Amino acid sequence: MPAWLTVVGIGDDGFAGLGRPARRALLTASVVYGGERHLAMLPARLGARRAAWPRPFDLAPLLAERGSAVCVLASGDPMLFGVGATLARQLPAGELRVLPAPSSLSLAAARLGWPLQEVATVSLVGRPLATLNAHLHDGARVFVLSADGHTAAAIAGLLDACGFGATRMSVLEHLGGERERRIDGRADQWSAGDVAALNLIALECHATSNAARLPLTSGLPDDAFRHDGQLTKRDVRAITLARLAPTPGELLWDVGAGSGSIGIEWMRAHPACRAIAIEAHAQRQRFIEHNRDALGVPGLQLVAGRAPDALAGLPAPDAVFIGGGVTVPGVLDACWASLRDGGRLVANTVTLQGEAALVAWRERVGGTLTRIALSQAQPLGGFDTWRQALPITLLEARKGEGNAASPHQP
């Protein structure tokens, strides 16, 4: 089927700013879908029926028009956090034509003189404010796609509270239109009044002395997490994450999550990484909720329950970490059975009983065992000596690489 649907990117300058192909598509369309603001930009001479998006948002009415000449209006570049990307997941490429306008990011980079490839982008449209936390680094430049006119003040408060009050903020309203305006200020001195609902926020991050300076590598400092001692410690966590080997788009099960540190650092490895933390202890569930927001991954899913029962119905993981519960009957087998082919399972334990369970499981299924023994220099009288932490036994197995077909086989 030839392309029946054209997605037209439109800027704040409206119909007058469109190129000839976009104008022609709108003039020949039988129906035009879009938000009320975008539809109001169309001239009266267009004969197409105008259809505002239903609330809640639903593509079904548009897809029912298949075969007709249909246009969709979207802000700027429809493939950048826009409806074009949503439609591209629903339709074959040959049925869809996209005519982008300059994105708000491109316009903002031009106004500020920032090389676009060096600027991080965060969307707060329909996403928690805590999403921004993962991008706060001294000297970083960040573009924030704003949810509304209150977003700038909320960001200023967040930055000031977490030690980035010296950050320079620029709010860019109605980019590319006649009402374009720029408001500049420091986060800890932000006092701008009314801000237009249509805005983009540019941040040039500057940390103050009390800011937590968190690295991009795995193995965050232990004090970056709120916990009660049930925490995979920094050096062991870095080794564990290296064995789990996160890649974009993959899903991790963090079983017996404790403070959530493994799942949180898995998600910080790449914006597309996903994780589910399974934890039965009520207080530790609260720690996970706090830590995921504070460290910028509010999308971490928390399942309140105990494995293996709590695992039923969860989407199949690409990797599993078992930090607690290796001696619970059925946990290792249930995790292995759910794991996708090629997926990784890593389990840690400090007890003899846990080690025996891992050794026995490896005999049946395969994998490798590693002993991790770490020591730290600590005072002893007027001298220093090595204090050894409890040794960790780590099991690593990749499904489908020389493993038994089922852990239940002898």
Side-chain angles (χ1 to χ4, degrees):
M1 176 183 290
W4 57 274
L5 177 60
T6 301
V7 185
V8 174
I10 190 168
D12 209 54
D13 51 358
F15 189 80
L18 297 177
R20 184 175 297 174
R23 292 189 183 195
R24 184 181 301 116
L26 289 165
L27 288 166
T28 58
S30 60
V31 58
V32 179
Y33 280 82
E36 294 176 359
R37 182 176 69 87
H38 292 141
L39 294 174
M41 295 177 174
L42 299 178
R45 69 177 183 275
L46 258 69
R49 175 170 58 89
R50 303 171 195 212
W53 291 118
R55 297 181 181 178
F57 180 79
D58 187 3
L59 287 176
L62 181 147
L63 296 176
E65 308 269 3
R66 197 186 212 122
S68 303
V70 180
C71 274
V72 167
L73 288 175
S75 293
D77 184 349
M79 303 303 290
L80 181 71
F81 296 100
V83 71
T86 304
L87 288 165
R89 291 190 285 265
Q90 299 283 332
L91 295 171
E95 296 186 29
L96 180 68
R97 182 173 61 143
V98 179
L99 302 175
S103 70
S104 58
L105 303 183
S106 296
L107 293 171
R111 303 294 187 267
L112 296 166
W114 292 2
L116 188 53
Q117 71 274 11
E118 298 174 5
V119 185
T121 300
V122 179
S123 175
L124 295 183
V125 180
R127 295 173 175 85
L129 182 65
T131 305
L132 182 59
N133 283 329
H135 300 269
L136 300 182
H137 303 281
D138 193 38
R141 287 173 169 174
V142 184
F143 282 151
V144 181
L145 301 179
S146 180
D148 54 35
H150 305 291
T151 303
I155 288 175
L158 172 71
L159 293 170
D160 192 24
C162 63
F164 280 83
T167 295
R168 299 294 304 175
M169 296 178 56
S170 295
V171 176
L172 301 162
E173 301 176 339
H174 293 288
L175 279 163
E178 293 181 354
R179 294 181 289 166
E180 181 173 323
R181 183 174 71 135
R182 173 175 167 179
I183 308 169
D184 296 310
R186 269 176 56 129
D188 57 4
Q189 300 169 1
W190 190 257
S191 60
D194 292 338
V195 173
L198 185 64
N199 72 82
L200 177 144
I201 303 164
L203 305 176
E204 192 160 22
C205 297
H206 295 289
T208 55
S209 58
N210 63 330
R213 299 182 182 236
L214 300 179
L216 296 174
T217 54
S218 58
L220 295 178
D222 292 344
D223 61 9
F225 300 93
R226 187 176 291 179
H227 63 92
D228 60 358
Q230 293 297 311
L231 171 76
T232 302
K233 299 302 190 293
R234 182 179 193 170
D235 297 312
V236 176
R237 194 182 330 122
I239 294 170
T240 300
L241 284 157
R243 300 298 184 94
L244 288 168
T247 59
E250 289 191 322
L251 172 66
L252 170 76
W253 284 1
D254 185 358
V255 180
S259 66
S261 62
I262 293 291
I264 287 168
E265 292 214 41
W266 168 280
M267 290 185 66
R268 282 174 60 92
H270 190 275
C273 286
R274 299 166 293 134
I276 301 174
I278 299 96
E279 177 54 55
H281 191 283
Q283 182 59 44
R284 293 171 191 156
Q285 293 165 14
R286 306 291 82 76
F287 291 153
I288 292 171
E289 292 169 342
H290 168 83
N291 292 333
R292 67 184 178 186
D293 285 354
L295 294 168
V297 289
L300 173 71
Q301 181 182 346
L302 173 60
V303 172
R306 191 180 305 278
D309 294 343
L311 307 178
L314 298 182
D318 302 285
V320 175
F321 173 64
I322 306 174
V326 296
T327 60
V328 176
V331 168
L332 279 163
D333 290 351
C335 290
W336 186 256
S338 298
L339 192 63
R340 295 182 186 275
D341 287 342
R344 292 84 65 200
L345 183 146
V346 175
N348 292 353
T349 188
V350 297
T351 68
L352 291 174
Q353 290 79 9
E355 182 175 279
L358 296 184
V359 170
W361 195 84
R362 174 177 171 268
E363 288 297 316
R364 291 187 295 126
V365 179
T368 62
L369 287 171
T370 302
R371 173 65 63 85
I372 304 171
L374 298 169
S375 301
Q376 288 187 331
Q378 294 183 4
L380 179 65
F383 300 91
D384 294 317
T385 190
W386 292 108
R387 298 287 186 187
Q388 186 170 355
L390 292 174
I392 306 288
T393 300
L394 181 150
L395 168 75
E396 177 189 1
R398 184 179 290 268
K399 195 170 185 179
E401 291 191 355
N403 308 116
S406 167
H408 302 290
Q409 292 182 348

